[in-house]
Amino acid sequence: MIRIANGSAFWGDSAEAPLDLLRGGPLDYLTLDYLAEITMSILQKLKARDPRAGYAHDFVGVIKRGAKDIVERGVKVVTNAGGMNPVGCKDAVAAVLQAAGYGGRIKIGVVTGDDIMPQLDQMLESGIPFTNMDSGEPLSAIRARVQSANVYFGAFPIADALCRGAGIVITGRCNDAALALGPMVREFGWKAHDWDRIAAGTIAGHVIECGAQCTGGNCQADWESIPDIANIGYPIVEAEPDGTFVVTKHAGTGGRVNVAGVTEQLLYEIGDPKSYITPDGIADFTTIRLEQRGPDRVRASGIKGRAATDQYKVSISYSAGFKAVGTLAYSWPDAHKKARAADKILRQRMDRLGLELEAIHSEFVGVNGCHGEMSGEPANDIAEVVLRIGARAMEKAPVERFLKEIIPIALNGPPSVTGLNSGRSKVDEIIAYWPALIPMTAVAPQVDVASV
Amino acid sequence: MKIQLVKIAHARSGDKGDDANIGLLALKPQDYPVLVREVTAERVKKHFAGICRGEVERYELPNLLALNFVLHHALDGGGLVSLRMDNQGKTYGAALLRMEIDVP
């Protein structure tokens, strides 16, 4: 049995969780996921400004603080913190380890090759259309606006790095679940065609990839009774060579691991549950059996899988215009009426200005901001309502003009209003996401392992 | 008798591009068949009228006493494109729990 934890669900997750996992009890592997769909485009911009940047630098802090546990106890670390610059990330981590006196005592593995931006035009010319999986459009429609293009690699490059002695593995874009599946492939000697076990390891990775969302965080079932959320433990999978696993957390931590919470996470961000496709195989969620095996222990078994497809998924980001959002808080009396009046007045002013906006969207926070029309009518004496109004356009200028029109309405519109953050609102570039496929034969991961 | 889904189910939701998905789970095993019978893809599409601009697909996971709903074009473009406060559909699971269904 090996223990694999996940201490980061996204870039910006708890800075303490990775350290708490390292120090809170027995552990073999610590995985850290930093990459959401849009993170790569942000990292691409950082790299364009500074060629040494472009990775999730929070990870360097984790290594700095956790170096003793990682090097001396031998807890292995697997992360996609490399983002757009895995080599740069490796250099920064190596520098930190050398400064701490651990030079020559640990190897770092780096997985590259996922960044296909430099070859994108050549690939298009060779006949790979990168058709949008949602809309069916060919990439040529937005080629000039593409900012990044990365292949999602699977678990085997990670396992390869571990086999070659890496104590830390840094990847660029890869399948989230691969961070946990890679160590299982390495430790248990699973083969690429062990489809059931590959599926089981993928599902184990899927359960923990969102961190505390499987240990009581963001859990709807009986949420008020979940103990000590302030001290919530991040998840650990106890993986067995036969593909069964137990989801748990360190003793003495808060939160809860039960069947209801793990099931919520199993269904998080999935499509057809019979065909959960990763680069390593296809997992069938309708075969999972869950059972409570003692406090904060949920066992999964029975998982079946099928053969992988012959394509990798590609995540392409592209520039898609500009947007801005402003907020105005109206108080009792007539809070909702005033907010609605302000919305109407603002729209009349936008009309008069003739701004070329693609969309204006208004929500009344406290009334219908989350659930729209299904929220129903608020009480007449509602204490306060926030008008949240946003606009979007291909050009920046009309969005800037829109934003300038919001603050004045505090003085030239309905009464008893305060600004929240509208004074600080800014125009954001919209980075849109273009999911596509690429034949596996068109690209190859590269694995390098070297001593610090 | 009409009850709100929140009495017999829990849910979690998230995003994939411009699509949202909602996992709907029975709190007790005996209520799973009620969810299967009452919470159809058509009813969910109607429930999210004005929010979901595309089709709704439903998948059954009897092993987990759960249904998975995929709501296409439900996020105003999704991610950074969306102008909505809930640009990732994080509260859509709770929104589904508002639905009123018939129970014997």
Side-chain angles (χ1 to χ4, degrees):
Chain A
M1 184 270 283
I2 54 165
R3 292 185 179 87
I4 305 168
N6 182 35
S8 176
F10 62 98
W11 192 8
D13 202 351
S14 164
E16 302 309 311
L19 280 299
D20 291 345
L21 282 167
L22 281 172
R23 293 166 187 170
L27 198 63
D28 300 300
Y29 286 88
L30 174 65
T31 66
L32 299 163
D33 178 6
Y34 291 98
L35 302 181
E37 283 176 355
I38 57 162
T39 313
M40 295 302 269
S41 57
I42 297 164
L43 292 171
Q44 170 60 34
K45 279 187 184 170
L46 293 173
K47 191 183 174 186
R49 258 179 254 154
D50 176 359
R52 292 166 304 174
Y55 57 87
H57 51 71
D58 290 18
F59 177 62
V60 182
V62 172
I63 295 298
K64 195 170 190 175
R65 294 171 65 198
K68 193 164 186 266
D69 296 273
I70 294 161
V71 180
E72 295 183 12
R73 271 175 59 209
V75 179
K76 295 183 173 63
V77 180
V78 181
T79 181
N80 58 14
M84 290 303 299
N85 190 359
V87 173
C89 183
K90 183 262 294 174
D91 290 343
V93 166
V96 160
L97 287 168
Q98 282 160 2
Y102 291 118
R105 293 186 57 187
I106 189 168
K107 288 179 181 174
I108 303 179
V110 182
V111 181
T112 53
D114 61 295
D115 179 5
I116 57 166
M117 192 66 186
Q119 302 101 282
L120 194 61
D121 286 318
Q122 200 186 326
M123 287 173 164
L124 280 165
E125 276 169 36
S126 77
I128 302 169
F130 296 104
T131 306
N132 187 308
M133 289 166 72
D134 295 332
S135 70
E137 282 180 280
L139 186 69
S140 50
I142 53 121
R143 171 63 191 93
R145 294 189 273 141
V146 171
Q147 298 199 343
S148 67
N150 294 77
V151 176
Y152 283 82
F153 286 142
F156 281 82
I158 292 168
D160 182 20
L162 293 169
C163 283
R164 287 157 61 184
I168 298 171
V169 180
I170 298 167
T171 75
R173 182 83 266 182
C174 78
N175 174 258
D176 296 344
L179 299 178
L181 176 58
M184 293 181 220
V185 168
R186 150 72 179 133
E187 296 284 339
F188 303 142
W190 290 349
K191 303 289 178 253
H193 57 268
D194 285 343
W195 303 121
D196 292 345
R197 278 172 282 210
I198 294 293
T202 298
I203 288 173
H206 173 75
V207 170
I208 63 171
E209 76 185 31
C210 293
Q213 271 204 152
C214 69
T215 55
N218 189 26
C219 183
Q220 179 72 34
D222 204 14
W223 71 271
E224 278 183 294
S225 75
I226 297 170
D228 195 15
I229 293 196
N231 181 36
I232 195 163
Y234 274 54
I236 298 168
V237 157
E238 295 176 357
E240 299 286 350
D242 65 0
T244 60
F245 61 88
V246 170
V247 184
T248 186
K249 61 191 183 66
H250 279 323
T253 58
R256 172 184 289 162
V257 182
N258 65 5
V259 169
V262 170
T263 311
E264 279 192 25
Q265 182 55 26
L266 277 172
L267 270 75
Y268 184 68
E269 291 181 352
I270 69 164
D272 178 353
K274 284 184 190 292
S275 297
Y276 184 81
I277 302 170
T278 77
D280 300 308
I282 299 176
D284 183 348
F285 281 53
T286 68
T287 61
I288 306 168
R289 282 199 305 272
L290 292 183
E291 56 189 319
Q292 193 79 38
R293 283 279 182 98
D296 295 319
R297 294 180 66 79
V298 170
R299 181 173 184 266
S301 61
I303 294 169
K304 298 287 179 198
R306 303 194 300 283
T309 72
D310 56 2
Q311 292 176 305
Y312 287 117
K313 191 173 173 187
V314 185
S315 144
I316 298 168
S317 69
Y318 66 101
S319 175
F322 298 86
K323 72 170 185 180
V325 172
T327 51
L328 295 154
Y330 287 87
S331 85
W332 183 94
D334 302 325
H336 189 212
K337 267 192 193 167
K338 289 171 188 164
R340 292 180 70 94
D343 177 48
K344 194 175 166 189
I345 293 161
L346 279 172
R347 284 167 180 266
Q348 285 168 337
R349 289 180 183 164
M350 302 304 165
D351 276 351
R352 201 170 303 157
L353 287 166
L355 298 182
E356 291 198 12
L357 296 168
E358 184 186 296
I360 302 180
H361 179 74
S362 309
E363 287 167 347
F364 300 90
V365 181
V367 176
N368 64 9
C370 290
H371 294 170
E373 288 167 23
M374 70 180 86
S375 312
E377 282 300 307
N380 278 331
D381 64 347
I382 188 168
E384 62 209 29
V385 171
V386 175
L387 166 63
R388 182 184 179 283
I389 183 165
R392 181 168 70 209
M394 277 312 290
E395 300 301 321
K396 193 172 186 181
V399 182
E400 273 178 334
R401 189 66 191 82
F402 157 84
L403 207 49
K404 277 187 186 157
E405 209 55 40
I406 292 174
I407 303 163
I409 203 169
L411 301 186
N412 67 16
S416 69
V417 56
T418 186
L420 287 190
N421 68 344
S422 58
R424 291 195 299 272
S425 288
K426 59 179 181 28
V427 176
D428 288 320
E429 185 180 4
I430 297 172
I431 305 297
Y433 173 68
W434 183 283
L437 296 170
I438 186 172
M440 283 185 176
T441 50
V443 61
Q446 190 187 328
V447 181
D448 297 291
V449 180
S451 192
V452 169
Chain B
M1 184 176 71
K2 277 202 186 302
I3 60 161
Q4 255 187 325
L5 269 184
V6 71
K7 299 281 184 206
I8 62 165
H10 59 119
R12 181 173 298 184
S13 56
D15 67 317
K16 190 122 313 196
D18 193 22
D19 297 346
N21 93 295
I22 304 172
L24 180 70
L25 299 81
L27 285 165
K28 293 182 183 149
Q30 62 265 32
D31 288 326
Y32 177 66
V34 179
L35 299 184
V36 173
R37 188 183 69 230
E38 294 291 326
V39 192
T40 61
E42 294 72 26
R43 282 203 66 188
V44 171
K45 185 171 157 67
K46 209 172 150 194
H47 189 69
F48 282 90
I51 290 178
C52 176
R53 292 167 190 160
E55 292 307 308
V56 173
E57 288 171 308
R58 186 181 92 164
Y59 301 96
E60 297 178 19
L61 297 97
N63 55 318
L64 301 175
L65 307 173
L67 298 172
N68 185 41
F69 295 92
V70 177
L71 283 64
H72 294 283
H73 303 295
L75 295 171
D76 186 32
L80 292 180
V81 180
S82 174
L83 294 174
R84 293 183 193 160
M85 181 167 71
D86 190 2
N87 61 334
Q88 293 181 297
K90 299 281 188 190
T91 69
Y92 287 12
L96 180 55
L97 297 179
R98 290 173 171 277
M99 183 186 278
E100 288 200 325
I101 59 160
D102 284 309
V103 290

